[in-house]
Amino acid sequence: MAKPHPFHSIHTHGFVRVGACTPRASVGDCAANADATIALAKDGHAQGADLLVFPELNITSYAIDDLHLQTAQHRATEAAIAAVVAASAKLRPVLIVGAALPRNGRLYNCAVIIARGRILGVVPKIFLPNYREYYEKRWFASGVGLTDCEITLAGQTAPFGTDLIFAASDLPHFIFHAETCEDFWAPTPPSTMGALAGALICCNLSASNIVVGKARERAMLCAAQSARAMCAYVFSAAGPGESTTDLAWDGQAMIHELGDLLAESNRFNRASEIIFADVDAERIAQERMRVGTFNDAARLAGNPELAFRRIAFDHKPDFKDTGLRRETRRFPFVPNTPEKLDQDCYEAFNIQVEGISKRFEAARAERLVIGVSGGLDSTHALIVAAKAMDRLGLPRSRILGFTMPGFATSEHTKDNAWALMRALGIDGDEIDIRPAARQMLGDMGHPFAQGEPAYDVTFENVQAGLRTDYLFRLANQRGGLVVGTGDLSELALGWCTYGVGDQMSHYAVNAGVPKTLIQFLIRWCIRTDQYDRDTDAILEAILATEISPELVPAGADGAIQSTEARIGPYALNDFFLHYVVRHGMAPSKIAFLALHAWRDASAGRWPRDFPVAGRAEYDLATIAGWLEKFLVRFFATSQFKRSAIPNGPKVSSGGALSPRGDWRAPSDGTARVWLEELARGLP
């Protein structure tokens, strides 16, 4: 059998597969707990896990009260750990298990890190709860201040202390830290220092009995810690099997990454369970490089990396294809869940409305001037402008909409433009640009003027330029402000005419909104009754129209000029854009993610209201082909257009392309580095 190409392995692309385990517990039966731990470790191995996190004191049991202080219990615990260590020798995952361990006349509540038959280290709990139902200080000593220590356990001597982080020597970005339960309820969780010292994955072994509302609080703390410490956070709480003398247990397990929930367990599950997620550790490292505050915090904390011991281990990844255990959204600018989609659309739409409203007031303009083509972008800019007039208490007739048919304008789009202007009640007019275009082409000696079907870039840009030229002069004449209609996707691809063209306006209200999001914003406006039924009907018709610049006449077969046939599907281009601008990912990794997001139209979730007929799928060859074209357009040919864009509001945290905001790049750059990386990384 041929060896699989490393492109298909998560490890090639900086992912680490983590699991949060909730074994069926016992009440102090260490041998039984070891068996349950080993069974889950074997399951994790079969599932390709790199790291498994178990609950607090899962080897010893948590709710055994004064039995923690019994010598027989200590010996049983050590024997159980020895059994887990022996079983781990032939297993892939690093195991983080919980045990109560005596050392130097004290008993510590510990996280024990085990890999391939070796105890890598032991981390004692720092914060011991001693309030309400908790009495941990009755049994345990805090690990606070214990650094540069060792412990002898199960026949091995291992590092002991709160100054440990663990790093694979053969898998970049597999770097983790462990803390226990109450540690992350404290105002200063130890994992914060671990993250500042370099750990990308922070783990919490928790017992954490359940009371009403506590699951929400745990989820909030996990999400907040993963966001604030810029890390992945793996949390595992004790489940059924622990003593219910006075408490109950729900087995809540969660995996978060930079504030986002990747996986969660079935609570109150009487069977053992592991939840898995592929943590993008490389993405976390990239995010830390982007946010200088992270480094500032490390400096203010005294550079924790100097105080921590970094324990190295050989992980021995095999770079097999084990799939991808995380949801990868097809539309990274568009949430999958209805509630998040509604919230994002509400915010995006109102950001745009507020942006154009403020600029209109600041410019002391009398009118908003906008070219209305009947396409998506001008439609969205127009409905934003209409809402701005409503909010300012001004009549919509203060908007001057112009349809400007050219050589390839269809009656369908022109009719839609007029219908929309009438439905919204704006002041509409029409200027036929063909006579002026013929005059300009004739003055230039262009072959089209002599009747030849010469539809080159000059032919196209004469039309695009005249439209913008008219709009600016109309704005001069009527005290207006030209509203730009071009979107973020077009700026990324350079799919706009520079200078006197659709690249320029007085205010680029759509410049922060990608094409894929615009479609959902229009659907949101329809669904939430932002306008009347007549307007909604026209918006539906525009959404169903193929995207086209309508600059080149239809061919002999009647086929119109298709934007996506020329530059690629906007769904893919927006996917590429997000991961290049927001995360700085290598092209081969972007291709890997795109393949998992788009290769099967029947898999995963689609955002609400996305038409079934439009649910496409793409294979790797198609993705790679369009990605290569995107890289050339984005890095080599289009930056000069972005360097001179007009003002416009940033809308998405996914990024914007204004040189005054998110994106600064040379206009004379090259795409070679990205193209070569893509070529090297693909099978």
Side-chain angles (χ1 to χ4, degrees):
M1 182 181 293
K3 184 178 180 180
H5 193 282
F7 169 83
H8 295 287
S9 170
I10 61 170
H11 294 136
T12 300
H13 304 291
F15 292 97
V16 177
R17 180 162 297 171
V18 302
C21 305
T22 48
R24 174 78 181 174
S26 75
V27 184
D29 186 340
C30 296
N33 288 337
D35 290 342
T37 299
I38 293 167
L40 287 181
K42 290 179 177 178
D43 186 16
H45 173 85
Q47 301 270 3
D50 299 300
L51 177 67
L52 297 177
V53 180
F54 288 82
E56 178 180 17
L57 297 176
N58 72 293
I59 298 295
T60 308
S61 294
Y62 181 83
I64 59 173
D65 299 335
D66 287 353
L67 301 186
H68 281 302
L69 298 175
Q70 293 286 312
T71 297
Q73 187 72 45
H74 302 162
R75 291 174 178 169
T77 297
E78 185 166 8
I81 289 175
V84 173
V85 171
S88 75
K90 296 181 179 180
L91 301 178
R92 175 186 298 106
V94 177
L95 312 178
I96 308 181
V97 302
L101 301 176
R103 180 186 179 278
N104 199 24
R106 301 172 182 86
L107 186 67
Y108 295 97
N109 182 342
C110 298
V112 183
I113 293 81
I114 301 167
R116 295 187 182 272
R118 174 186 165 202
I119 299 175
L120 300 181
V122 177
V123 181
K125 185 175 181 178
I126 291 178
F127 293 100
L128 303 175
N130 225 56
Y131 53 86
R132 294 195 295 271
E133 64 263 46
Y134 301 110
Y135 298 91
E136 286 196 29
K137 290 183 179 178
R138 178 181 176 97
W139 312 298
F140 304 124
S142 169
V144 66
L146 291 177
T147 60
D148 294 315
C149 297
E150 292 182 334
I151 187 172
T152 299
L153 176 65
Q156 299 186 28
T157 299
F160 179 91
T162 58
D163 58 340
L164 304 181
I165 59 174
F166 304 86
S169 58
D170 50 2
L171 188 61
H173 310 305
F174 186 11
I175 310 169
F176 63 91
H177 173 272
E179 64 186 3
T180 302
C181 201
E182 186 76 7
D183 285 346
F184 98 130
W185 297 79
T188 54
S191 56
T192 299
M193 291 297 108
L196 292 174
L200 299 172
I201 303 168
C202 295
C203 308
N204 187 295
L205 300 79
S206 183
S208 193
N209 64 294
I210 185 62
V211 294
V212 173
K214 192 173 186 180
R216 292 191 297 272
E217 189 172 4
R218 294 187 197 124
M220 177 270 294
L221 288 170
C222 289
Q225 187 64 355
S226 73
R228 191 180 299 277
M230 291 189 185
C231 64
Y233 201 85
V234 187
F235 177 91
S236 178
E242 282 281 0
S243 171
T244 56
T245 300
D246 290 301
L247 306 172
W249 317 86
D250 66 334
Q252 185 175 25
M254 295 168 284
I255 303 169
H256 286 79
E257 177 185 301
L258 296 172
D260 294 329
L261 177 65
L262 301 185
E264 59 184 331
S265 66
N266 298 306
R267 296 168 58 219
F268 300 104
N269 188 353
R270 295 189 63 81
S272 295
E273 181 185 11
I274 311 177
I275 58 168
F276 296 99
D278 291 342
V279 166
D280 193 344
E282 183 189 45
R283 174 195 174 209
I284 295 168
Q286 277 274 3
E287 189 70 3
R288 290 179 179 180
M289 285 189 280
R290 278 172 165 69
V291 181
T293 302
F294 185 86
N295 182 62
D296 293 343
R299 295 289 299 276
L300 286 169
N303 295 313
E305 65 178 293
L306 302 177
F308 272 75
R309 287 177 284 172
R310 182 172 289 214
I311 309 302
F313 62 96
D314 294 332
H315 188 54
K316 303 177 184 177
D318 54 19
F319 292 94
K320 289 183 179 179
D321 180 0
T322 58
L324 182 64
R325 302 286 285 266
R326 64 187 280 134
E327 184 176 41
T328 303
R329 297 207 309 256
R330 294 177 174 89
F331 302 97
F333 292 99
V334 182
N336 284 340
T337 59
E339 62 278 7
K340 289 182 179 178
L341 178 58
D342 280 349
Q343 181 66 25
D344 281 15
C345 287
Y346 166 81
E347 290 179 346
F349 186 73
N350 282 284
I351 288 168
Q352 292 183 273
V353 171
E354 176 60 25
I356 194 65
S357 298
K358 173 62 178 175
R359 180 51 56 92
F360 182 77
E361 290 181 313
R364 295 183 174 86
E366 293 295 320
R367 304 281 190 273
L368 289 177
V369 178
I370 183 169
V372 185
S373 68
L376 280 174
D377 292 346
S378 66
T379 292
H380 185 61
L382 180 55
I383 62 178
V384 167
K387 188 64 70 173
M389 291 297 103
D390 297 346
R391 195 163 294 176
L392 291 170
L394 298 173
R396 292 181 182 175
S397 58
R398 298 279 287 273
I399 302 171
L400 307 181
F402 292 90
T403 179
M404 292 178 281
F407 297 118
T409 301
S410 68
E411 290 301 315
H412 174 72
T413 55
K414 190 173 79 169
D415 289 348
N416 280 344
W418 268 112
L420 182 62
M421 291 191 288
R422 292 190 184 105
L424 289 171
I426 72 166
D427 191 352
D429 205 347
E430 184 171 309
I431 297 175
D432 188 342
I433 66 167
R434 287 173 291 186
R438 285 194 181 93
Q439 178 68 44
M440 181 177 287
L441 290 166
D443 292 343
M444 296 170 62
H446 192 276
F448 177 80
Q450 280 73 51
E452 296 182 27
Y455 306 134
D456 57 10
V457 67
T458 303
F459 175 81
E460 295 187 45
N461 283 348
V462 160
Q463 298 172 77
L466 277 170
R467 287 177 175 135
T468 303
D469 200 1
Y470 271 118
L471 291 174
F472 272 105
R473 302 298 75 80
L474 289 162
N476 293 155
Q477 182 186 46
R478 307 186 191 189
L481 190 75
V482 177
V483 179
T485 60
D487 62 43
L488 182 68
S489 308
E490 293 176 340
L491 284 168
L493 294 160
W495 191 247
C496 51
T497 302
Y498 182 74
V500 184
D502 54 333
Q503 178 259 356
M504 187 50 60
S505 63
H506 285 127
Y507 193 73
V509 73
N510 283 346
V513 189
K515 186 81 75 178
T516 48
L517 181 55
I518 281 179
Q519 298 178 55
F520 285 95
L521 286 170
I522 294 174
R523 292 187 182 103
W524 175 82
C525 287
I526 296 170
R527 190 175 65 253
T528 57
D529 298 321
Q530 298 296 314
Y531 305 96
D532 57 35
R533 289 185 179 180
D534 290 342
T535 301
D536 290 348
I538 301 303
L539 294 178
E540 291 277 13
I542 291 169
L543 282 168
T545 302
E546 183 175 358
I547 299 170
S548 170
E550 292 195 326
L551 294 171
V552 174
D557 59 358
I560 66 168
Q561 184 184 21
S562 170
T563 296
E564 292 185 300
R566 175 78 177 274
I567 62 174
Y570 274 113
L572 287 181
N573 283 319
D574 284 356
F575 191 97
F576 304 153
L577 170 64
H578 175 82
Y579 286 104
V580 165
V581 172
R582 180 64 183 85
H583 300 301
M585 288 183 178
S588 62
K589 181 172 181 175
I590 296 172
F592 174 81
L593 290 171
L595 179 63
H596 281 276
W598 284 100
R599 64 183 172 185
D600 183 356
S602 65
R605 292 183 292 179
W606 290 83
R608 181 167 69 180
D609 298 336
F610 193 88
V612 174
R615 297 183 179 183
E617 59 187 28
Y618 304 103
D619 60 19
L620 181 58
T622 302
I623 290 166
W626 288 122
L627 177 53
E628 182 177 342
K629 291 178 174 62
F630 174 88
L631 296 172
V632 172
R633 282 186 165 274
F634 186 82
F635 287 105
T637 67
S638 304
Q639 180 58 39
F640 75 99
K641 297 180 181 181
R642 297 188 288 270
S643 294
I645 62 174
N647 297 165
K650 178 180 178 179
V651 172
S652 169
S653 62
L657 293 176
S658 169
R660 301 169 295 276
D662 277 12
W663 185 256
R664 296 163 179 81
S667 294
D668 50 4
T670 174
R672 178 177 177 178
V673 169
W674 291 267
L675 293 171
E676 289 181 349
E677 194 285 333
L678 179 63
R680 286 194 306 270
L682 291 177

